[in-house]
Amino acid sequence: MEPSIITVLNDQANHELLSAHCYEAMAYWCQSRDYTGFAKFFFAQAAEEREHGARFFKHLLDRGVQPKVGSIEAPRGEFTSLNELACYAQKLEQQNSSNIRQCYSLALEAKDFDSQPMLMWFIGEQVEEEAWAAKMITLVARAECAGSIYALDRHIVKEFEDG
């Protein structure tokens, strides 16, 4: 593998772990405000992001490269509202999408045919991730009163189960 590909794939694996860390902090923020449905959703997102990081690391291992797990900065843990939190989640997913597209572009340039299928899977995955983030912002914005937010919190996990 070309060193440039190794670097971007390893960096993206670590970025996935950072995203997991961020989602876990968001889940705890939600829990502390009794948004248990949102907390459950974000804990699940954290687990998914850890799996994504592991997938990048495994790809490197399968190709004979020792992955480098980096340090993770402290995630943002304070938000003024559920809307601000949802917007932050969207920014996380948009950054992930941008990073993965950069990895894919580099893999194309380097003719790293072995990395391209994995990265295409992630590109498809990011379409779904950005879709739920945009939908969450819309749903939170529509829930203008406490009763609506309570109902949304109770059903948020189900809202995203079916795609």
Side-chain angles (χ1 to χ4, degrees), residues 59-99:
H59 179 78
L60 290 169
L61 281 170
D62 287 348
R63 299 200 48 209
V65 175
Q66 171 67 49
K68 294 179 183 157
V69 178
S71 61
I72 298 174
E73 64 189 69
R76 180 176 174 188
E78 290 298 322
F79 303 91
T80 59
S81 66
L82 205 48
N83 185 56
E84 184 181 16
L85 180 134
C87 288
Y88 184 67
Q90 183 181 46
K91 286 178 186 173
L92 284 173
E93 292 303 337
Q94 289 169 337
Q95 183 62 57
N96 257 347
S97 295
S98 176
N99 291 353

Side-chain angles (χ1 to χ4, degrees), residues 20-38:
H21 212 45
C22 291
Y23 282 132
E24 195 160 294
M26 293 163 72
Y28 285 121
W29 183 90
C30 290
Q31 263 189 339
S32 73
R33 284 149 184 83
D34 295 323
Y35 294 131
T36 55
F38 281 91

Side-chain angles (χ1 to χ4, degrees), residues 1-18:
M1 287 182 78
E2 285 195 24
S4 60
I5 299 290
I6 293 169
T7 298
V8 296
L9 295 181
N10 203 90
D11 288 351
Q12 184 56 30
N14 281 291
H15 185 77
E16 299 284 348
L17 297 180
L18 171 62

